[in-house]
Amino acid sequence: MDKRKSRPGIARLKSLVDELNNRDDQLKKDFQLFEDFFHNFPIPVTMWSITKDKTIVSQRGNGFACQKAKSLEDLFLCPVIKEMSLVRHELALKGTKVDYFVKTAEKVYFAKLVPRKDEDNNIVGVSGIAWDVTSNAIMLSCMENIHETTSGRRGAYKDIHKQSEKAII
């Protein structure tokens, strides 16, 4: 074998290996950034991804879902969340992007499901994200109460403020 002909092939192979190593390093940095985000995010947020056969591919976060789940069936701890979420995952597995709120006795969550597709546009699974919007729901409820109580009258909010001191959650 002629050494001159094999060297360009080896150089190309080395170049590809170096490029893959650089990509691997960037993926590790991106993954660490992602992990840091979820670990430090002030609002409980959970992300997950499932395959078409409902196996958990990945799951990260600090709310909404069971940390040791292996399938969609055992992803959700709360029966209310589980019932609503299973139905909506079925819709997403059929190609529909799904947004929904779910309320438990203590929390309100907003969830978004997006079908994952392969390069041929076939649905291969679903990615989901959910975050605790309880404080937002409480504020919205208070604002609705103020609007209903004051009937839009300016200045009547002072009476509401006095009443709200008794209703601190």
Side-chain angles (χ1 to χ4, degrees):
M1 177 180 244
D2 186 355
K3 290 182 183 179
R4 288 176 288 171
K5 290 182 182 177
S6 66
R7 286 187 183 151
I10 291 173
R12 175 75 178 129
L13 182 58
K14 182 181 180 328
S15 172
L16 289 172
V17 168
D18 289 343
E19 183 179 334
L20 289 174
N21 283 335
N22 290 338
R23 286 184 189 173
D24 188 47
D25 289 344
Q26 186 60 48
L27 283 172
K28 288 176 185 174
K29 289 176 186 174
D30 291 347
F31 182 75
Q32 188 58 50
L33 180 66
F34 178 76
E35 289 293 321
D36 290 345
F37 170 78
F38 279 101
H39 182 70
N40 293 300
F41 198 69
I43 299 170
V45 175
T46 303
M47 284 184 75
W48 63 94
S49 186
I50 64 167
T51 61
K52 194 166 187 159
D53 68 353
K54 302 175 189 165
T55 301
I56 303 295
V57 176
S58 64
Q59 178 190 349
R60 295 288 184 271
N62 54 3
F64 193 75
C66 178
Q67 293 297 320
K68 297 183 182 182
K70 295 187 183 201
S71 71
L72 182 61
E73 279 292 321
D74 57 347
L75 181 62
F76 307 103
L77 295 172
C78 172
V80 173
I81 293 174
K82 181 177 183 174
E83 182 180 334
M84 290 184 75
S85 297
L86 292 177
V87 170
R88 282 158 179 84
H89 277 78
E90 291 296 334
L91 290 170
L93 285 167
K94 292 176 183 171
T96 304
K97 291 180 181 177
V98 181
D99 297 344
Y100 64 102
F101 286 93
V102 62
K103 183 178 180 183
T104 68
E106 303 89 27
K107 301 282 185 180
V108 178
Y109 294 97
F110 173 76
K112 173 114 180 148
L113 305 176
V114 179
R116 288 186 308 109
K117 298 180 179 181
D118 64 12
E119 58 277 352
D120 296 324
N121 213 29
N122 297 313
I123 296 170
V124 296
V126 171
S127 292
I129 184 168
W131 55 94
D132 182 340
V133 294
T134 306
S135 59
N136 300 60
I138 290 170
M139 286 189 297
L140 180 59
S141 177
C142 289
M143 295 301 292
E144 288 172 343
N145 183 34
I146 290 169
H147 181 72
E148 289 171 9
T149 305
T150 63
S151 299
R153 292 184 316 270
R154 293 178 73 92
Y157 65 88
K158 292 177 184 174
D159 294 333
I160 298 297
H161 176 69
K162 289 177 186 172
Q163 292 173 16
S164 68
E165 292 173 354
K166 300 173 190 168
I168 299 294
I169 296 175

